[in-house]
Amino acid sequence: MRSTKIIILLMVLFMAFSASLAMAESYNAIRDDYRSLTGSTQLQKKRVNWEKLIRRFDRFIQSNSGDQNLDRAMYLKARTWDGLSLASGSSGDARQALRAYDDMVSRFPGSTLADDALFHAGRTAENRLADKALAANYYQRIVTAYSGGDMVRQAQSRLKDLPAVPRTANVPQHQILPDPDPESVGSAPTLENIRFWSGPEYTRIVLDLTAPVVAKPVVLGGQAPRIYFDLLYTRIAPTVPSEIAIANGLIKQVRAGQNDIQKARVVLDLNRESEYRMIPLQNPYRLVIDIMGEPSQAAISLPGGGGSPRANQDDTITDILNEKADRIPVLHVPQEQHDEGVRLIVVDAGHGGKDPGAIGPGNILEKNVTLALAKKLAAELRTQLGVKVLLTRSDDRFLELRERTAYANKVGADLFISLHANASRKSGAHGTETYFLNLSKNDKAAEVAARENGTSLHDVGNLEAILFDLMANAKINESSRLAAEVQQALVSGLKPHYSHVRDLGVKQGPFHVLLGATMPSVLVEAAFISNPREAKRLVSATFQKRVAASIVNGVKHYSASIDQVAKR
């Protein structure tokens, strides 16, 4: 009898030990099993092997939100779904792979694996779903947002054989679309999945769909506040639960039900009356609902229902700008620790499209100079610092000034650098200067800001009145430090090679292009395009490369300085 008790006790201890090992399972262990599965034809024949691995990735992702391998784990989870779709031939598995790829890119746009994920998503859409338009969209996202990545050539090659990517429709926020004609509906949209994520300022609910839907929201107050969304001509997949508990202090639960053959209804039961925003997205089709308000602290950053911290999954600059009325900028929340340092930098080429910027002798356009300089700076940053770099524009297109920092906020940039060429009514004016956002008490700085903003000095004065509300978010101290390092590096980097390099210093100004940035941000005036001597330099590839290399040195020094501050 005693021996039996001992055996039972040992079994309990063994099970507890095994459970603790499972909870503490490392990324490397799961990765090794992924390699074993993908390397064995025999193992791949059993669906259960794929599904077990996916569940292990899910547990790791949910339990290790700060792990340095989290982007790799999300990428391999997507690759596992992809492999399962190849083995099973199921289009449903292929769509799950696309969602997993999108989730990974959405959460880690600066990862070195982001462009790989987009490329594999394109191949899956092309080969397993036979959706050439969707595949072209994925490849175009690589070309647009990851022009310096290692997948861009392959993406460009695939685009040659596929149809052009259609422009994303601009659907205004809260718009109630007209009811479709029942005779022309065809296959009804299906609600396949409901996901959610709690952020510090809102909770995001994502409805995964097979086709666009007409959504009619209704807000109900009182003692049991709720918002429900009628999805016309939509059916609910059997796998979607009728109730999903959230209980984060803002939303009690989400309920889904088939009201009748004409519509499905999704109900959000709230703890209190709250504002909301509805965002229709495509490729794949989703309806994103943001409930504004602060959830309980314990709920923040806990994804549910397979959710992603960023359900807004279209990350190309073109898509962001085309759908700006719908989109909620996902604010960058700087890390309290600086262990990771600078990982993602957004470089902004000033002006573009219908806005030529300043015009120099011989019809030299500032927009062309800044684009060439931005591309060289991006290449140098990637090579010298090994960081991810995204461009607000990679061709001659017009972007609103506020949209540039909105993009940087969305992708979670660590730094924002806007490149410009200076101009003056005096052709002899020359030199280089760097600006950061602050109240302008300098008439010359205000004049430069007015020119770059495309406004008058009077408008600049009005702008100063609202800057007080933005100071807390402008990262003034870090921006001034970054500006100082960049300016010093520019002067020291150019003086050995050129005469008359004048140090105009670091200045403060109310620049629209820097407003709203939630990361350290600077505006660099590399030289005066209005000065004949400096205009010739600005169009020189050698000068552009030296300016780029100098700015990189400034970023290096800035990174080292914040690291020292963090370790004190």
Side-chain angles (χ1 to χ4, degrees):
M1 186 68 179
R2 185 176 180 181
S3 61
T4 303
K5 290 182 178 179
I6 292 174
I7 291 172
I8 293 173
L9 178 61
L10 288 174
M11 289 178 65
V12 170
L13 291 174
F14 177 77
M15 291 172 65
F17 178 69
S18 299
S20 66
L21 284 179
M23 292 182 64
E25 190 171 26
S26 70
Y27 163 77
N28 289 339
I30 310 175
R31 179 202 60 195
D32 290 344
D33 286 347
Y34 166 82
R35 290 174 177 171
S36 298
L37 175 59
T38 55
S40 169
T41 305
Q42 197 65 29
L43 291 174
Q44 292 176 34
K45 291 179 180 179
K46 294 184 178 180
R47 183 180 182 89
V48 66
N49 293 332
W50 296 97
E51 292 180 336
K52 282 182 179 179
L53 193 61
I54 290 169
R55 287 195 294 270
R56 289 170 66 192
F57 276 123
D58 281 336
R59 286 194 295 270
F60 178 85
I61 292 165
Q62 292 177 14
S63 304
N64 297 274
S65 59
D67 194 279
Q68 63 179 358
N69 292 311
L70 196 58
D71 60 332
R72 296 181 178 88
M74 294 188 71
Y75 173 74
L76 286 187
K77 174 190 169 183
R79 296 291 291 142
T80 306
W81 271 116
D82 210 342
L84 175 56
S85 73
L86 181 62
S88 68
S90 166
S91 60
D93 292 336
R95 284 194 292 270
Q96 289 283 9
L98 295 188
R99 292 196 186 97
Y101 283 129
D102 278 329
D103 283 349
M104 182 269 164
V105 176
S106 175
R107 186 165 179 179
F108 295 100
S111 170
T112 56
L113 292 171
D115 53 348
D116 297 79
L118 289 175
F119 184 79
H120 287 298
R123 296 295 286 173
T124 300
E126 184 179 357
N127 298 329
R128 276 175 320 266
L129 295 178
D131 191 334
K132 292 186 177 182
L134 178 56
N137 183 281
Y138 281 114
Y139 298 140
Q140 187 60 52
R141 287 170 66 181
I142 297 172
V143 174
T144 303
Y146 298 94
S147 57
D150 57 356
M151 303 305 295
V152 68
R153 288 186 180 179
Q154 295 182 60
Q156 289 171 334
S157 176
R158 294 306 312 137
L159 282 170
K160 293 177 183 178
D161 300 326
L162 296 172
V165 181
R167 286 174 62 89
T168 306
N170 184 7
V171 184
Q173 179 181 313
H174 296 311
Q175 179 181 4
I176 298 177
L177 301 177
D179 290 355
D181 179 2
E183 298 298 324
S184 62
V185 169
S187 298
T190 300
L191 173 60
E192 290 191 319
N193 191 24
I194 299 177
R195 300 176 285 141
F196 69 88
W197 176 74
S198 294
E201 298 176 353
Y202 58 87
T203 295
R204 174 160 290 180
I205 311 295
V206 183
L207 309 183
D208 291 318
L209 300 147
T210 60
V213 297
V214 177
K216 291 192 173 183
V218 177
V219 179
L220 300 174
Q223 294 183 343
R226 59 194 182 276
I227 305 172
Y228 69 79
F229 299 82
D230 281 339
L231 310 179
L232 303 188
Y233 307 103
T234 301
R235 64 182 183 86
I236 300 177
T239 54
V240 176
S242 59
E243 292 183 7
I244 300 174
I246 295 181
N248 65 353
L250 181 62
I251 302 176
K252 295 178 181 177
Q253 63 180 358
V254 177
R255 293 180 285 133
Q258 195 79 50
N259 265 31
D260 53 45
I261 60 172
Q262 295 262 327
K263 62 178 178 287
R265 176 170 291 180
V266 176
V267 182
L268 278 58
D269 294 313
L270 308 178
N271 287 86
R272 58 183 184 272
E273 294 185 22
S274 303
E275 294 183 353
Y276 79 99
R277 286 170 178 166
M278 185 172 68
I279 313 165
L281 298 175
Q282 56 181 310
N283 295 330
Y285 294 107
R286 285 148 290 151
L287 188 66
V288 177
I289 302 162
D290 285 343
I291 304 300
M292 315 308 292
E294 183 179 356
S296 61
Q297 192 65 30
I300 293 177
S301 298
L302 293 178
S308 163
R310 282 191 199 151
N312 189 353
Q313 294 169 327
D314 292 322
D315 284 320
T316 67
I317 183 68
T318 304
D319 287 341
I320 289 166
L321 300 183
N322 286 341
E323 295 185 21
K324 63 180 181 293
D326 299 330
R327 294 179 177 274
I328 316 303
V330 179
L331 295 182
H332 170 68
V333 182
Q335 300 294 322
E336 294 183 3
Q337 298 179 348
H338 295 272
D339 296 342
E340 295 181 350
V342 176
R343 301 182 65 186
L344 172 59
I345 300 175
V346 169
V347 175
D348 171 51
H351 308 280
K354 66 182 182 180
D355 174 17
I359 301 175
N363 202 37
I364 299 172
L365 304 182
E366 181 182 1
K367 67 174 185 178
N368 295 335
V369 169
T370 57
L371 181 57
L373 183 54
K375 290 180 177 179
K376 288 183 174 61
L377 176 57
E380 286 291 322
L381 286 166
R382 292 175 185 126
T383 302
Q384 298 297 325
L385 300 184
V387 296
K388 196 77 175 181
V389 183
L390 300 178
L391 299 177
T392 56
R393 67 181 182 95
S394 56
D395 54 18
D396 185 18
R397 69 179 64 192
F398 174 75
L399 305 176
E400 295 287 350
L401 295 175
R402 298 289 184 86
E403 293 166 343
R404 300 169 188 254
T405 46
Y407 175 62
N409 289 342
K410 174 178 170 49
V411 299
D414 298 302
L415 299 178
F416 177 81
I417 302 173
S418 187
L419 301 174
H420 293 261
N422 219 332
S424 172
R425 290 185 292 270
K426 299 178 181 179
S427 62
H430 66 284
T432 182
E433 56 191 346
T434 306
Y435 285 86
F436 65 95
L437 179 68
N438 208 336
L439 291 174
S440 174
K441 297 303 181 185
N442 179 294
D443 290 340
K444 289 185 178 180
E447 185 176 344
V448 173
R451 179 176 60 78
E452 297 295 2
N453 294 343
T455 58
S456 66
L457 285 171
H458 174 72
D459 291 330
V460 171
N462 292 337
L463 177 62
E464 290 179 2
I466 66 170
L467 275 177
F468 288 107
D469 295 331
L470 298 168
M471 290 303 220
N473 295 325
K475 299 299 252 178
I476 298 298
N477 291 335
E478 292 181 40
S479 295
S480 65
R481 186 184 301 152
L482 174 61
E485 295 289 1
V486 168
Q487 178 65 20
Q488 185 176 353
L490 275 169
V491 174
S492 60
L494 295 176
K495 272 192 173 182
H497 305 284
Y498 303 95
S499 61
H500 305 289
V501 174
R502 186 182 179 192
D503 182 4
L504 297 178
V506 173
K507 298 175 182 176
Q508 309 170 34
F511 292 88
H512 281 308
V513 75
L514 301 181
L515 281 174
T518 58
M519 72 291 299
S521 54
V522 296
L523 183 147
V524 177
E525 299 278 5
F528 278 76
I529 201 170
S530 55
N531 181 295
R533 179 181 60 246
E534 294 199 341
K536 290 181 180 178
R537 292 176 182 174
L538 284 168
V539 296
S540 163
T542 301
F543 180 80
Q544 293 168 1
K545 189 167 185 178
R546 283 172 176 160
V547 168
S550 299
I551 294 175
V552 170
N553 283 334
V555 173
K556 281 182 182 178
H557 295 151
Y558 167 79
S559 298
S561 71
I562 63 171
D563 188 55
Q564 289 173 3
V565 170
K567 291 179 179 178
R568 286 177 187 170

